[in-house]
Amino acid sequence: MRLYASATVAEVLDRLLADPAVAEAVVADRTLPARAADMRPFPDWLDAGLRSGLEGRGVTGLYSHQAEAIEALRGGRDVCIVTPTASGKSLCYDLPVLQAVAEDASTRALYLFPTKALGQDQLAGFHELADAAGIEVAAAIYDGDTPAPVRQTVRAAGQVVVTNPDMLHAAILPHHTKWFQLFEQLRYVVVDEAHTYRGVFGSHVANVLRRLLRLCAHYGSAPRIITCSATIGNPGQLAETLTGRAPVLVDRNGAPAGEKRVLILNPPVVDARLGVRASAYGLVERAAVTFLRADRQTIVFGRSRTSVELLLTRLREALREGRGPVGRVRGYRGGYLPSERRAIEHGLRSGDVLGVVSTNALELGIDIGRLDAAVLAGYPGSIAATWQQIGRAGRRRELSAAVLVATSGPVDQYVATHPDVLFEASPEEARLDPENLHVLLAHLRAAAFELPFEPGERFGAAPADDLLAFLGEDGHVRQAADGRWYWASENFPASEISLRVASPGNVLIIDTGGDRPRVVGEVDLFSAPTLVHEGAIYLHESRQYHVDRLDWDERKAYVRPVDVDHFTQAELAVTLKPLEAFASDAVPGGERVHGEVMVSSLATIYKKLRLESLENLGWGRIHLPELELHTTAYWVAVDPAAVAGWRRDELDVALVGAGRALQTVASVLLMSDPRDLGLVSQVRSPHAERPVVYLYDGVPGGVGLAARLFERHAELVAGARDLVADCPCDAGCPACTGPRLESGGEGKRLASRLLALLSGARADIAGAPAA
Amino acid sequence: MTHELARVSSSVPGMDRDPTLLARRLERLRALDRRLVTAAELPPPARRTAAGADPGARAAHLAAGLGGTVEEGSGGPVVVVERATPLPMTLDGLARLPYPVDMERPLVYLDTETTGLGSAAGTLAFLVGIGRWDGASFCVRQLVLPDHADEPALLAALEAEIPADACLVTYNGRAFDWPLLVARYRLHRRPPPVTAGHLDLLPIARQLWRHRLPDARLASVEAGVAGVRRHGDLPGALIPERYFAWLRTGRAALLADVLAHNREDVVSLGRLLGEMSERLADPERRRSAHPGDVASLARVFQRDGRQDEALACYAEALAAWDEREPAPTRLDRDTLAAEAARLLSRTGRHAEAEAAWRALADRGGSTAVWAWIALAKHREHRARDSAGAMEAALRALRIVERRRAVGIPLRAAERDLARRLARLHRRARARRLT
Ligand SMILES: [Zn+2]
């Protein structure tokens, strides 16, 4: 029974590290110091009701970041607030909004959250504060679930409207005349969880905000924008790209925090030659069970629904063996009913729930209070997401702990062998490209529908006339005699855009497993051949679906839920043609280029691979037409003289191996899914007549990944070189240059040689290359 | 931070909209798009015609083509086309009908033609037809938008057509035309015109005439009610494209059909109101009206709480069906008679109600079940005639049982009778005991 005696986090950590299996796996053990609160008094101008309301809730002052944010807003500036989880971020916008409502009841505010659940969570908090302050304010959610009669009330009288970008885009902006009271009086726009607005989604959202601000200007309002982001590498730039305006950056957190110890564990190598490691689950279970037995509130993050269920079962079994607190450990993931989720969140805050196993569904700002320990089963894919998950553990005063257990995947192994990436490097940058021509043109159509364009009027970076003239060729937009550009079509352009995917012609995914067919999601056309071909295992919200049939002409994939221990990986025969170089530059061993390319891809076969071990379980053919992707790419053209003595087949293997390593490092650097970047290598490019490795943006027009890779070429090559050199395998493995069988055992050696050549002198890595 | 941004955008020309680079990228996109969209789906490219360049010339050209005039307003030109149609009808009876029309106020008949459905911001009304009576003719004044740019002028001209005490008369205007116009005023940041009332004829037409019409489209209603058939009427679905084609080509003739269609619609509003007034308002004239229409009107009166008039209409409709032309089905006739009998009971005319129920009961059929039940109720509670009540209930029961035997059970009536007969038996037993 002593096993379950309550213990402090420090004692649990000692206990854990006394276990040889754990101790041997530690690749990093860092302690983050405690931080005292940095408090400021309430400002003089604060409404008396608000002040007493806050004091009544035990809040006697503001944290420094809250004070900075509200003063900047008071001064008429936009702000971008960067704060970790649970640092009182909501007050940074709730307070100025309530103050404005108290001063002038006609004030309106718009809150944008990426998901419905977050909107509900935040609205509840807002109402509590408003009630405590005795301020009457009509705040309501406006989303797809809002009933029609309520919608009308919200439009006419909602002072604070809580919605999401999709709803703003499709239901509010095109119908702005019904929302004129909102647009006339809009004082604040809150863009929370802004770090989620990256990639295609972010590129769309930036254009939705352009449309919003355009309408505000039309109705005579000039709202301040409050952007909130988790810690990422470029929060201010993200906010500026998203909103088109430079905010005051508030990134010094004034909330107190206790000391935190972070461990990174890498499971032991079981086959050194093949570079195969033990599963992460064993260590995750050991760590989590040790905390739970000591009565320490713990959250375990799995990467998929399957792994959450697996971990939950293992933890419960382990606890049951010793009659542990089995019933107090719960699962939490997409697919659970909202009421179940609310109950678990509440249980976590009250302490009734001791442990929770979750997908990243809990990564976003849902309030679950502060826990003692976080255990991460696998690297979450980005430094920023890692810190968000780690941030779930963290008491105000006492010590907390976080344990990251690496899987055998390439990105995980890169982090495990380079833990400084996590602690020293700045987190990834969120990339988006509102100027993506495909995205831009789609929103320009929607914007012209909403309001005619003045001649010379800017939309984003530049005047829109050339683009409008281009749209005019199809007759949907026309320039009238007054020079303005008018929408001239029966079409409803907003309905042709889905913010979460890249291009029109999406393939709908239809679940036929239930009582009646149900659309569970969509994928863009260019991803469809590899993601939803017949026989594919498609993952949606951490759930596995088997694709029974793909109706290509109808753009529909028929799936049913399954629970299997494998995933599928499609192979593409890809040809790439460079169309235009936007920028190029001499680098050691060749040239780096950023430009526009046409990628033709034909899905050929798919493999079934076992989860975790990546063991090959079989394969099948894919019969689908070839697709063309018009996008941006970054490429490295190797100087033929530098590889003069190489055999053609050697060069081929070297380019593929180096390309894989570059792709892995690129996805670490850019906070992107490795799938977002396509890889093509050509031993003798028909265009440049040289060996070339291309990394191309996987969505039409790109989201700015290629441009950023072009800038960070030196870092990328150095990172790839380290990745290959530091990998414990002897001749290449899936974690570095690809499986050794593909390269005849030469992959690692040849890729290293090529990467060394491209690195030039060591001195070049840190600074800009000497052009 | 800003320094960082500047560096990014200057070093990556693809991020900028360098005009020559943009032109090349658009050219490639054009090539790509043209392959995805077949030529047939593309409208012909915009062409600047002689009429297109100068706004004044464009409006004049349109006015000439449509036989109208150009009215110059502060916000640009509007083309106005006026036509009078002989329509010798009066609305004198309208005030007697259960509809919210104040005959002291000016009635403004209004119908729009638009560039699409719904009232989202990209749809506009390019034609507003306004009708009013002028003696024995009905005058339609159509405001036509020569170009997108002239919309403020059209809205200003429309304001002048709608006095503040006006009552609008439309067809589906509450849900469509008026919200769309309000949206246009909002978009141009002008207050929408104030009106004192709005009579939407769509729900009225549904109430009065649905029973004998295939659908509730204005042209169908007009044909069915007033016998006016349109020739060569332009289908509504083609109207937006006609307007876009005018904008592209400057051919005014494209809009001639649209104006004719709109004019017909506005005249129809007057004609329908006239039909209502002349055929249904006056009790004498009503005798020659379609009995089904009179039956519908009875229900409208009843809903409006005007029970005497409702009863009169019920009686007229039933009489017409019984004497002049038979009802479409026997059930229609008996259902109406049952509604009338129910209203008689509710308004305390018990003797008349009893007679009405008795007549219905004698006709047999499924309605007779309820008639017998109603008689049982009346005898039990009002006439205090338990034996008579029992007899009526048993008569009802007999029909119900026959129905059940042929496989058409009348469950609600069965439940009612079971309770009712049990109570009547109990009471009869109690009386025997005392
Ligand atoms: Zn390796």
Side-chain angles (χ1 to χ4, degrees):
Chain A
M1 292 309 104
R2 270 200 322 277
L3 263 178
Y4 312 118
S6 178
T8 65
V9 171
E11 287 164 343
V12 179
L13 281 168
D14 287 346
R15 210 174 275 172
L16 199 59
L17 289 167
D19 179 346
V22 174
E24 279 166 24
V26 173
V27 291
D29 179 356
R30 309 285 174 96
T31 300
L32 311 179
R35 198 180 53 235
D38 183 359
M39 300 297 292
R40 304 288 156 84
F42 290 124
D44 305 337
W45 47 260
L46 190 68
D47 177 76
L50 261 174
R51 187 194 186 106
S52 64
L54 285 166
E55 284 167 349
R57 288 160 37 128
V59 180
T60 52
L62 297 172
Y63 294 136
S64 58
H65 61 279
Q66 294 169 333
E68 278 175 43
I70 65 174
E71 287 297 348
L73 287 167
R74 188 83 179 167
R77 297 290 309 272
D78 291 348
V79 295
C80 170
I81 302 147
V82 189
T83 51
T85 317
S87 55
K89 167 197 67 181
S90 313
L91 206 61
C92 297
Y93 47 81
D94 286 345
L95 208 59
V97 167
L98 282 169
Q99 174 76 24
V101 170
E103 287 171 4
D104 175 2
S106 69
T107 298
R108 302 291 191 106
L110 184 68
Y111 283 26
L112 292 176
F113 295 94
T115 66
K116 288 180 190 175
L118 273 172
Q120 286 159 357
D121 203 42
Q122 290 295 329
L123 184 62
F126 179 83
H127 276 307
E128 280 171 27
L129 182 57
D131 289 349
I135 297 174
E136 287 237 6
V137 52
I141 291 188
Y142 193 86
D143 64 23
D145 299 335
T146 309
V150 178
R151 287 184 176 209
Q152 204 163 351
T153 315
V154 177
R155 285 201 291 260
Q159 290 162 291
V160 177
V161 178
V162 180
T163 187
N164 52 62
D166 312 77
M167 201 66 188
L168 178 61
H169 152 72
I172 297 180
L173 299 180
H175 294 278
H176 59 87
T177 55
K178 299 183 189 73
W179 290 88
F180 71 98
Q181 295 107 320
L182 176 80
F183 288 107
E184 283 177 352
Q185 301 292 342
L186 195 58
R187 280 278 297 278
Y188 291 112
V189 176
V190 175
V191 182
D192 204 349
E193 308 290 342
H195 56 278
T196 60
Y197 301 134
R198 57 178 193 264
V200 172
F201 188 33
S203 306
H204 277 296
V205 171
N207 278 288
V208 171
L209 292 175
R210 287 173 175 177
R211 284 160 53 199
L212 169 69
L213 294 177
R214 192 168 170 260
L215 290 175
C216 289
H218 174 71
Y219 284 100
S221 65
R224 295 299 97 205
I225 306 178
I226 306 164
T227 314
C228 298
S229 169
T231 307
I232 54 170
N234 61 339
Q237 191 189 34
L238 169 70
E240 185 163 347
T241 315
L242 260 181
T243 65
R245 314 197 306 205
V248 171
L249 183 65
V250 177
D251 59 359
R252 279 182 303 271
N253 180 12
E259 200 175 45
K260 181 179 292 177
R261 192 134 159 225
V262 181
L263 301 177
I264 301 180
L265 309 183
N266 201 5
V269 176
V270 291
D271 183 333
R273 220 169 55 86
L274 297 177
V276 176
R277 291 178 179 273
S279 154
Y281 289 139
L283 285 169
V284 168
E285 183 190 317
R286 266 171 208 260
V289 165
T290 314
F291 281 106
L292 292 169
R293 279 183 177 152
D295 208 23
R296 303 277 43 121
Q297 262 195 314
T298 303
I299 182 163
V300 180
F301 284 103
R303 280 202 295 211
S304 66
R305 168 184 171 267
T306 322
S307 70
V308 163
E309 298 301 332
L310 193 71
L311 280 164
L312 187 60
T313 311
R314 289 183 65 148
L315 284 183
R316 285 184 165 164
E317 271 167 18
L319 292 169
R320 190 172 290 120
E321 272 169 26
R323 278 173 287 156
V326 177
R328 292 173 66 200
V329 179
R330 307 287 299 273
Y332 185 108
R333 58 170 170 79
Y336 280 19
L337 293 174
S339 57
E340 289 176 88
R341 288 182 174 221
R342 297 294 96 77
I344 297 167
E345 289 157 19
H346 184 261
L348 283 164
R349 286 194 293 268
S350 70
D352 291 341
V353 173
L354 182 63
V356 67
V357 187
S358 170
T359 56
N360 62 9
L362 260 177
E363 187 184 293
L364 291 168
I366 303 277
D367 179 18
I368 53 164
R370 293 146 180 274
L371 311 181
D372 293 304
V375 181
L376 283 55
Y379 177 65
S382 74
I383 298 171
T386 306
W387 284 112
Q388 272 189 276
Q389 295 189 352
I390 286 177
R392 284 300 185 180
R395 301 284 185 183
R396 288 243 155 92
R397 289 185 190 80
E398 300 96 278
L399 177 69
S400 64
V403 181
L404 164 62
V405 184
T407 70
S408 52
V411 177
D412 279 54
Q413 284 307 307
Y414 181 81
V415 173
T417 49
H418 304 80
D420 282 352
V421 165
L422 201 56
F423 297 102
E424 318 294 340
S426 84
E428 302 81 354
E429 298 175 350
R431 307 298 305 172
L432 65 155
D433 181 9
E435 296 290 296
N436 173 314
L437 266 186
H438 300 256
V439 173
L440 180 66
L441 285 169
H443 286 277
L444 199 61
R445 286 159 58 86
F449 177 92
E450 284 149 11
L451 206 61
F453 272 86
E454 299 292 330
E457 183 182 338
R458 298 172 80 85
F459 189 71
D465 302 66
D466 290 349
L467 295 167
L468 288 162
F470 176 78
L471 293 179
E473 291 169 19
D474 283 357
H476 293 313
V477 170
R478 69 179 281 268
Q479 189 169 28
D482 63 350
R484 292 195 182 98
W485 297 89
Y486 291 88
W487 183 251
S489 161
E490 285 180 80
N491 295 11
F492 187 73
S495 70
E496 294 159 14
I497 309 170
S498 166
L499 302 189
R500 319 244 173 186
V501 292
S503 59
N506 302 325
V507 175
L508 286 184
I509 297 161
I510 298 161
D511 178 3
T512 57
D515 298 338
R516 67 176 72 139
R518 186 175 68 93
V519 174
V520 290
E522 48 190 321
V523 294
D524 65 77
L525 195 60
F526 298 95
S527 310
T530 49
L531 292 182
V532 292
H533 57 82
E534 286 174 12
I537 298 296
Y538 173 72
L539 279 176
H540 178 74
E541 286 196 345
S542 318
R543 238 189 123 93
Q544 295 170 309
Y545 294 88
H546 179 269
V547 180
D548 294 332
R549 194 162 71 81
L550 173 60
D551 186 335
W552 186 253
D553 296 331
E554 289 291 314
R555 306 267 192 265
K556 282 176 182 152
Y558 297 92
V559 304
R560 74 194 137 79
V562 288
D563 207 345
V564 294
D565 66 346
H566 72 271
F567 63 101
T568 51
Q569 199 170 53
E571 296 206 343
L572 281 175
V574 179
T575 53
L576 183 150
K577 192 171 86 184
L579 298 173
E580 174 155 9
F582 299 149
S584 63
D585 191 14
V587 293
E591 193 184 21
R592 63 174 170 146
V593 188
H594 166 234
E596 196 164 75
V597 297
M598 178 68 82
V599 184
S600 309
S601 62
L602 181 67
T604 52
I605 62 158
Y606 66 96
K607 290 189 275 191
K608 293 182 182 181
L609 301 171
R610 195 185 292 285
L611 291 165
E612 289 300 311
S613 73
L614 307 180
E615 178 193 344
N616 196 333
L617 301 174
W619 64 282
R621 279 192 198 289
I622 302 173
H623 304 280
L624 288 173
E626 186 176 61
L627 283 182
E628 286 188 334
L629 172 66
H630 183 204
T631 185
T632 54
Y634 145 82
W635 62 92
V636 184
V638 181
D639 181 358
V643 289
W646 295 47
R647 285 202 318 271
R648 192 185 165 88
D649 60 318
E650 285 179 330
L651 202 49
D652 188 25
V653 167
L655 288 168
V656 171
R660 285 245 173 85
L662 286 168
Q663 192 182 17
T664 300
V665 176
S667 69
V668 174
L669 286 182
L670 296 191
M671 192 172 178
S672 71
D673 191 311
R675 237 175 30 201
D676 296 345
L677 277 172
L679 168 67
V680 169
S681 61
Q682 293 170 350
V683 176
R684 188 183 156 91
S685 145
H687 178 75
E689 308 214 319
R690 288 188 290 173
V692 183
V693 176
Y694 298 89
L695 289 178
Y696 62 88
D697 212 321
V699 300
V703 293
L705 300 178
R708 199 67 181 126
L709 291 175
F710 174 78
E711 289 176 348
R712 300 182 69 173
H713 168 85
E715 269 174 90
L716 199 58
V717 172
R721 190 181 170 187
D722 289 351
L723 172 71
V724 178
D726 296 345
C727 187
C729 70
D730 60 0
C733 71
C736 58
T737 58
R740 64 194 292 266
L741 287 177
E742 283 179 15
S743 58
E746 288 292 304
K748 187 163 183 167
R749 186 181 64 82
L750 292 168
S752 303
R753 248 175 82 188
L754 182 60
L755 287 167
L757 195 150
L758 291 171
S759 309
R762 274 272 169 191
D764 280 348
I765 294 167
Chain B
M1 195 55 58
T2 39
H3 169 76
E4 160 82 353
L5 262 187
R7 195 175 62 78
V8 170
S9 47
S10 63
S11 72
V12 185
M15 301 280 99
D16 296 339
R17 285 197 215 138
D18 162 24
T20 57
L21 177 61
L22 181 67
R24 288 200 300 278
R25 297 186 70 194
L26 287 174
E27 187 48 53
R28 284 194 291 271
L29 199 60
R30 197 175 280 126
L32 191 72
D33 277 0
R34 290 298 177 276
R35 256 178 301 148
L36 296 178
V37 184
T38 63
E41 291 172 66
L42 293 174
R47 184 157 54 89
R48 293 262 174 134
T49 61
D54 164 39
R58 190 181 179 88
H61 175 74
L62 182 63
L66 297 174
T69 55
V70 177
E71 288 190 4
E72 282 291 341
S74 55
V78 188
V79 169
V80 180
V81 180
E82 262 184 306
R83 295 280 184 282
T85 307
L87 199 63
M89 300 178 102
T90 70
L91 300 185
D92 300 343
L94 216 51
R96 301 163 71 173
L97 289 174
Y99 297 111
V101 201
D102 181 351
M103 295 309 293
E104 300 301 304
R105 297 185 182 283
L107 296 184
V108 174
Y109 300 79
L110 179 147
D111 189 57
T112 63
E113 304 307 326
T114 67
T115 59
L117 297 173
S119 54
T123 303
L124 60 85
F126 66 85
L127 166 56
V128 185
I130 302 285
R132 62 174 57 82
W133 297 92
D134 183 10
S137 25
F138 192 79
C139 183
V140 178
R141 193 170 148 83
Q142 292 173 305
L143 310 177
V144 193
L145 186 66
D147 193 341
H148 273 116
D150 308 321
E151 199 182 15
L154 180 129
L155 296 178
L158 180 59
E159 262 167 41
E161 301 287 334
I162 304 176
D165 61 342
C167 175
L168 300 176
V169 181
T170 63
Y171 201 79
N172 198 26
R174 272 188 184 281
F176 182 66
D177 304 69
W178 193 246
L180 175 66
L181 288 170
V182 168
R184 300 318 295 174
Y185 283 95
R186 296 282 181 223
L187 188 134
H188 287 277
R189 309 215 62 213
R190 313 166 69 108
V194 178
T195 58
H198 188 155
L199 185 69
D200 188 336
L201 296 184
L202 173 64
I204 294 174
R206 284 211 176 109
Q207 279 169 351
L208 290 180
W209 298 305
R210 187 184 53 189
H211 65 93
R212 59 182 171 109
L213 297 177
D215 58 64
R217 288 187 310 117
L218 181 52
S220 312
V221 173
E222 194 185 25
V225 172
V228 176
R229 277 172 216 290
R230 299 186 188 181
H231 295 285
D233 189 36
L234 183 67
L238 301 183
I239 288 174
E241 182 44 38
R242 284 291 181 96
Y243 189 66
F244 296 133
W246 146 254
L247 291 177
R248 281 195 306 271
T249 63
R251 285 175 48 213
L254 287 164
L255 292 183
D257 291 350
V258 180
L259 264 77
H261 169 93
N262 175 258
R263 190 179 306 117
E264 293 283 352
D265 276 357
V266 181
V267 174
S268 291
L269 297 172
R271 190 175 283 125
L272 286 183
L273 220 48
E275 289 288 334
M276 283 163 58
S277 167
E278 295 196 344
R279 288 187 197 238
L280 295 175
D282 178 47
E284 287 307 312
R285 301 283 301 275
R286 215 183 278 153
R287 287 188 216 293
S288 62
H290 192 293
D293 297 356
V294 179
S296 303
L297 183 61
R299 294 176 178 129
V300 180
F301 270 126
Q302 185 177 341
R303 220 167 298 157
D304 204 41
R306 290 163 67 173
Q307 313 302 13
D308 291 347
E309 286 147 301
L311 288 168
C313 287
Y314 278 123
E316 280 162 30
L318 286 169
W321 267 341
D322 291 343
E323 294 154 19
R324 218 169 68 219
E325 56 179 292
T329 70
R330 182 181 151 146
L331 184 63
D332 283 333
R333 189 252 171 230
D334 289 355
T335 305
L336 189 75
E339 283 173 47
R342 210 168 286 131
L343 183 59
L344 285 169
S345 315
R346 207 175 299 150
T347 51
R349 298 169 217 210
H350 301 292
E352 287 165 76
E354 197 206 355
W357 286 122
R358 182 73 222 195
L360 260 177
D362 289 342
R363 284 171 62 84
S366 59
T367 321
V369 175
W370 292 105
W372 283 120
I373 290 176
L375 286 170
K377 242 188 268 183
H378 174 80
R379 290 175 188 173
E380 180 184 352
H381 301 298
R382 202 155 293 283
R384 307 274 167 207
D385 170 12
S386 295
M390 178 78 90
E391 190 228 335
L394 289 170
R395 293 288 291 269
L397 185 65
R398 211 174 307 154
I399 307 175
V400 163
E401 281 169 347
R402 268 206 307 273
R403 288 276 162 151
R404 176 167 277 276
V406 297
I408 318 169
L410 302 168
R411 295 212 166 77
E414 285 177 10
R415 277 195 301 277
D416 178 284
L417 287 170
R419 273 199 311 276
R420 191 174 301 281
L421 282 165
R423 187 173 62 237
L424 289 167
H425 276 301
R426 219 169 32 245
R427 205 164 299 155
R429 207 164 39 243
R431 201 164 309 118
R432 274 199 304 277
L433 287 176
T434 51

